[in-house]
Amino acid sequence: MFHGTITEELTSHEEWSHYNENIIEDQKDFVYVKFNGLHLKSMENLQSCISLRVCILSNNFITDIHPLQSCIKLVKLDLHGNQIKSLPDTKFWSGLKKLKLLYLHDNGFVKLKNICMLSACPSLIALTMFDCPVSLKKGYRHVLVNSIWPLKALDYHVISDEEIIQNWHLPERFKAYNHRLFFNFCPALKKKKIKYSKVE
């Protein structure tokens, strides 16, 4: 079990010992980072990952995501299962012009107004916020759908026209939460089964 920073995680592995001297300098070239379930508390060393496109930091103890501000090439950001309670302001999100997929479910978000900061993210098409206290608030889905204009899917369901256009009643198959509009854009990671064969 690991309880430190990303840099410590990168430099602590024995098999990487010959890379340790250059690892920090090389971070600017990283395009994919996956550190899930490592009990990380901080991501401050990611601010040098200016080429980062996919960042998976799920199931850690992260509370602050400001270090990602310099990762302006991000397309996918998975921060589910952390201890984040509030999001940065609109300036932060407007800088992430390429961000399309954002997984924030299973965090501590409470204020709907704070989540609306995501409206500044110009390319965000899919967002998860389920299993957060804010998702239990009345009108949660309606507010987010009508605040984040580019959004196409929220919490495993494609956004229906009925959710956007008030008092428009559509046939059942086009209504919000219809099973036909279910879209699993955030599948759970599966562990690979290793098959062993007996050598004779």
Side-chain angles (χ1 to χ4, degrees):
M1 194 176 295
F2 185 74
H3 296 282
T5 65
I6 291 167
T7 303
E8 290 168 349
E9 178 65 15
L10 285 171
T11 58
S12 67
H13 292 287
E14 227 176 273
E15 64 270 19
W16 290 10
S17 60
H18 58 286
Y19 294 113
N20 285 354
E21 295 127 19
N22 299 323
I23 196 77
I24 305 305
E25 187 180 316
D26 292 341
Q27 281 184 346
K28 68 180 181 342
D29 298 325
F30 289 177
V31 293
Y32 180 89
V33 170
K34 182 179 177 185
F35 293 114
N36 59 317
L38 295 175
H39 302 265
L40 297 173
K41 296 176 185 175
S42 171
M43 60 167 84
E44 79 270 352
N45 295 100
L46 280 181
Q47 56 198 0
S48 61
C49 298
I50 56 174
S51 300
L52 197 60
R53 285 181 170 73
V54 176
C55 182
I56 301 171
L57 292 168
S58 56
N59 299 313
N60 285 296
F61 295 125
I62 294 166
T63 57
D64 180 27
I65 66 171
H66 282 90
L68 293 173
Q69 189 166 5
S70 58
C71 304
I72 59 171
K73 294 182 180 178
L74 272 174
V75 174
K76 177 182 177 181
L77 179 57
D78 185 349
L79 294 168
H80 84 268
N82 277 286
Q83 297 177 353
I84 306 165
K85 292 184 178 174
S86 69
L87 292 175
D89 62 10
T90 54
K91 184 180 177 186
F92 174 93
W93 297 107
S94 63
L96 299 178
K97 295 186 186 327
K98 297 182 179 185
L99 186 64
K100 293 181 182 291
L101 306 172
L102 181 58
Y103 307 148
L104 293 173
H105 57 280
D106 196 20
N107 273 289
F109 301 109
V110 177
K111 296 181 178 177
L112 197 51
K113 187 176 181 180
N114 180 246
I115 304 304
C116 290
M117 296 292 177
L118 293 171
S119 64
C121 198
S123 301
L124 188 63
I125 57 170
L127 171 67
T128 61
M129 294 291 300
F130 61 88
D131 291 340
C132 293
V134 73
S135 67
L136 301 174
K137 292 196 175 213
K138 187 177 179 180
Y140 146 82
R141 187 171 172 93
H142 176 76
V143 170
L144 287 187
V145 163
N146 288 287
S147 297
I148 309 168
W149 284 102
L151 204 60
K152 304 292 181 219
L154 175 62
D155 296 340
Y156 292 125
H157 281 86
V158 173
I159 296 166
S160 76
D161 288 341
E162 185 180 57
E163 294 178 275
I164 299 168
I165 302 168
Q166 204 169 15
N167 298 323
W168 189 22
H169 302 289
L170 295 171
E172 185 61 36
R173 65 184 182 154
F174 298 114
K175 288 190 178 288
Y177 294 113
N178 186 289
H179 70 279
R180 290 183 176 120
L181 297 179
F182 179 82
F183 178 52
N184 189 6
F185 59 90
C186 180
L189 299 175
K190 294 180 181 177
K191 292 184 180 178
K192 290 184 179 179
K193 291 183 181 179
I194 300 172
K195 293 183 180 180
Y196 296 98
S197 57
K198 194 174 184 180
V199 180
E200 294 181 27

